[in-house]
Amino acid sequence: MRRSDFHFDLPDELIAQRPLAERSASRLLALDGATGRQTDLRFLDLPSLLRAGDLLVFNDTRVIPARLFARKSTGGQVEVLIERMVDDREAFAHLRASKTPRPGAELQLADGERLLILEREDDLFRLRALDTALPKLMQRHGHMPLPPYIRRADDAADIERYQTVYAAREGAVAAPTAGLHFDQPMLDRLAAAGIKTAQITLHVGAGTFQPVREEDLDRHRMHAEWLEVNEKAVAQIAATRAAGGRIIAVGTTSVRSLETAAAASGADSADSQDQRADAVTPDHLVSGKGPLGLRPYRGESRLFIRPPYQFRVVDAMITNFHLPGSTLLMLVSAFAGHEAVMAAYSHAVSQRYRFFSYGDAMFLTRA
């Protein structure tokens, strides 16, 4: 398939610029990937789509205030977006300025604290904080890194709302947005209904918003993101499988994490290079396989999930609506079927669903 196969027309007014007053007040479009059947629901109806013994897998990453504003020695303004931390002093970042600064240049924040540009690697710059550790700098000067399609400055409300209620491990520069619909009352309802939960971590990078520039998808280089699927999550998946329950990923990041762990574990055979373990680079892979050969995994992934793809772990997923031509739309199309997904998106546009990070949700079952 080609990039143009994932295009759809989206009116600007359907791009949600702010969250609803209540997290769980959003709409929910259910899509049966096997039949293409669409059902218009509310997110509050989610428990009716689940059954006791199912396992919801959440991404517990926490968004950091990764956007900083600085000045060059010449006085020119620079916007810094931290992409991923190396340690407390160094990070890779995107820089935006009228004239791109060079390695060796210093950037100065509002109170005089400095960032040194060490080197450039492709689209990213390696920075070192010279005076104060980066986590403290971000707490003092950082802004919530709202996506580029939200055309406003971040405000106080975004500190809480552009974060899941279960966020725990700092490191993301974009929210795992499917999780934004869950509030504590919904989590309590699900627990009371016998729905189990597990946590994995994928630190979402700014690369998630990068457009696919190649029409030939074989030429697209997927951005890297760090993730961890730990021993506890693998054990919970094994217990769910043994009891006949379903594995339901909350968000494309949870899907990518579980499928990466499966690919790195060598679970099942795969003809596509993008499905093999060479699409992932673990720094820790624990022995002792779980269901379908799944093992705990920690490391980076460049796994590009697109049609056709053989899913190994995930049975259903909850997700938001994604950008035209994006790798996330390609992932959900691989999951629930390209024709069914594109028809569902057309329906969502006609029914005035709200799109993207602060928008409405979908519940998808596999084609």
Side-chain angles (χ1 to χ4, degrees), residues 124-198:
L124 295 175
F125 293 80
R126 188 167 182 146
L127 307 179
R128 177 184 295 150
L130 296 179
D131 306 298
T132 304
L134 280 168
K136 289 184 178 180
L137 277 184
M138 287 188 284
Q139 290 302 321
R140 292 177 188 172
H141 305 290
H143 294 258
M144 290 300 279
L146 295 181
Y149 45 73
I150 294 182
R151 302 183 192 94
R152 61 174 176 83
D154 62 305
D155 57 31
D158 295 308
I159 296 173
E160 182 251 338
R161 290 304 304 273
Y162 195 60
Q163 199 84 265
T164 63
V165 298
Y166 48 82
R169 302 179 67 180
E170 291 191 339
V173 300
T177 56
L180 297 180
H181 304 282
F182 289 84
D183 53 21
Q184 194 56 52
M186 173 61 76
L187 294 173
D188 292 342
R189 285 180 62 196
L190 295 170
I195 311 301
K196 308 298 184 182
T197 61

Side-chain angles (χ1 to χ4, degrees), residues 5 9 43 45 210 235 318 325:
D5 293 322
D9 293 322
F43 195 78
D45 297 319
Q210 291 179 356
I318 300 163

Side-chain angles (χ1 to χ4, degrees), residues 13-280:
E13 64 269 20
L14 296 187
I15 301 174
Q17 297 297 307
R18 293 188 181 275
L20 298 175
E22 300 294 332
R23 288 178 182 269
S24 58
S26 57
R27 299 167 70 185
L28 178 68
L29 177 59
L31 174 63
D32 184 334
T35 66
R37 180 186 177 189
Q38 305 162 6
T39 308
D40 295 303
L41 301 168
R42 311 296 301 185
F43 195 78
L44 289 170
D45 297 319
L46 176 64
S48 69
L49 300 174
L50 308 177
R51 52 181 180 259
D54 284 345
L55 181 71
L56 288 175
V57 181
F58 292 97
N59 180 4
D60 68 0
T61 190
R62 187 171 186 84
V63 182
I64 57 177
R67 179 167 281 121
L68 301 164
F69 296 95
R71 288 190 178 275
K72 296 182 286 187
S73 59
T74 58
Q77 293 186 339
V78 182
E79 180 180 326
V80 179
L81 179 61
I82 302 296
E83 168 74 15
R84 65 181 183 271
M85 302 283 289
V86 177
D87 54 35
D88 279 357
R89 288 281 178 170
E90 293 189 7
F92 287 98
H94 298 270
L95 300 182
R96 186 162 64 181
S98 57
K99 185 176 181 180
T100 304
R102 296 181 178 180
E106 288 186 7
L107 307 177
Q108 193 169 92
L109 300 174
D111 61 358
E113 291 178 293
R114 299 164 300 158
L115 298 172
L116 173 65
I117 301 175
L118 298 176
E119 60 181 338
R120 181 170 187 170
E121 295 187 13
D122 298 324
D123 293 334
L124 295 175
F125 293 80
R126 188 167 182 146
L127 307 179
R128 177 184 295 150
L130 296 179
D131 306 298
T132 304
L134 280 168
K136 289 184 178 180
L137 277 184
M138 287 188 284
Q139 290 302 321
R140 292 177 188 172
H141 305 290
H143 294 258
M144 290 300 279
L146 295 181
Y149 45 73
I150 294 182
R151 302 183 192 94
R152 61 174 176 83
D154 62 305
D155 57 31
D158 295 308
I159 296 173
E160 182 251 338
R161 290 304 304 273
Y162 195 60
Q163 199 84 265
T164 63
V165 298
Y166 48 82
R169 302 179 67 180
E170 291 191 339
V173 300
T177 56
L180 297 180
H181 304 282
F182 289 84
D183 53 21
Q184 194 56 52
M186 173 61 76
L187 294 173
D188 292 342
R189 285 180 62 196
L190 295 170
I195 311 301
K196 308 298 184 182
T197 61
Q199 280 74 41
I200 57 84
T201 303
L202 183 145
H203 291 321
V204 191
T208 192
F209 303 117
Q210 291 179 356
V212 177
R213 296 182 174 89
E214 300 285 352
E215 177 67 9
D216 180 356
L217 299 184
D218 287 339
R219 297 173 61 87
H220 175 68
R221 179 169 170 77
M222 191 70 176
H223 62 281
E225 291 173 315
W226 184 93
L227 64 92
E228 181 175 21
V229 178
N230 63 24
E231 292 89 341
K232 182 178 179 181
V234 169
Q236 289 176 287
I237 291 169
T240 300
R241 279 274 189 260
R246 296 177 298 173
I247 310 303
I248 300 172
V250 179
T252 57
T253 58
S254 293
V255 174
R256 193 178 184 204
S257 297
L258 296 175
E259 295 298 323
T260 291
S265 302
D268 300 329
S269 62
D271 295 328
S272 169
Q273 178 178 358
D274 293 307
Q275 297 182 56
R276 296 201 312 262
D278 58 7
V280 297

